[in-house]
Amino acid sequence: MRLHVINPNTSRDMTYSIEQISTANVSGETEVLTTCPAHGPASIESYYDEYLAIPHVLAEVQRTEATTDGYVLACWGDPGLDAVREVTTKPVVGIAEASMYAANAIAPRWSVVTTLRRSHHMVEAIVKKTGLMERCASIRCVDMPVLACEANPDAVMEGLVHMGELALSEDGAEAIILGCAGMGGMAEYLSAELGVPCVDPVAAGVRFAELLVNLNLQTSKWLTYQFPEKKAFK
């Protein structure tokens, strides 16, 4: 099996971190290709960033479609997820969806702890789209930029612990989802500090992608995710 894990931003350091988490969480028989686009935003923290990143994510998918068994979009906003599903028959997993499905199986209510406060609405939108808002106790933000996960991980971890404690004590959460791919590798420490399960979204994403490939499930082309109609572009 070959999975292509795509970091939709252009940060090489974050891509390396995502690669480490991905390879550590797949079976020994699975090969992982981890890439990021050559062009696009250095991090995705706004709708503007997201929309600029999506064409380059699609290009990454189309570049490897013939040699890949499944895709993982390693950004918690799942940028371009529906569009990617239109251009391939291979299963495509967004780490936001995968982490919520995982949390749903282990806790009646869970919270997402993410980065900047301005990202709150984007996170809320993806939770609503996935249909799991009733299970989401809260969305908490450490209010630090995405790239701080690489540049200042200790401060990010301190923020995660604080916001996680508030989610448990004030919001009724019983599990925590890390709401950024850059937070990879922090779940184990956070779980030990808080005493509840914490979901690493990249780990959940690659595991879920493996499951879909092993079940021989492909993206449905019945209607919504049909290949795009061929038309002229200017």
Side-chain angles (χ1 to χ4, degrees), residues 31-167:
E31 178 186 355
V32 177
L33 170 68
T34 307
T35 68
C36 65
H39 305 284
S43 61
I44 299 176
E45 297 168 314
S46 64
Y47 290 109
Y48 178 79
D49 294 337
E50 182 177 286
Y51 296 162
L52 287 177
I54 290 171
H56 304 293
V57 171
L58 288 166
E60 282 295 291
V61 171
Q62 292 169 318
R63 181 175 66 84
T64 64
E65 209 273 341
T67 58
T68 299
D69 297 304
Y71 291 92
V72 178
L73 302 186
C75 171
W76 213 88
D78 292 351
L81 180 62
D82 292 323
V84 173
R85 286 173 173 165
E86 288 182 343
V87 301
T88 181
T89 60
K90 311 299 173 57
V92 184
V93 172
I95 64 169
E97 277 193 351
S99 61
M100 285 185 277
Y101 294 153
N104 232 38
I106 58 174
R109 302 197 78 205
W110 37 263
S111 289
V112 181
V113 183
T114 189
T115 51
L116 292 177
R117 287 179 60 197
R118 71 166 297 164
S119 302
H120 188 285
H121 183 270
M122 298 177 71
V123 171
E124 183 178 52
I126 195 71
V127 175
K128 287 180 177 177
K129 179 186 174 186
T130 310
L132 295 173
M133 202 64 203
E134 290 186 2
R135 301 289 291 275
C136 181
S138 63
I139 298 163
R140 292 277 184 171
C141 305
V142 299
D143 207 21
M144 297 183 69
V146 168
L147 296 182
C149 295
E150 300 299 322
N152 197 357
D154 291 341
V156 172
M157 181 59 75
E158 183 179 344
L160 287 174
V161 171
H162 177 59
M163 289 301 168
E165 288 172 342
L166 293 177

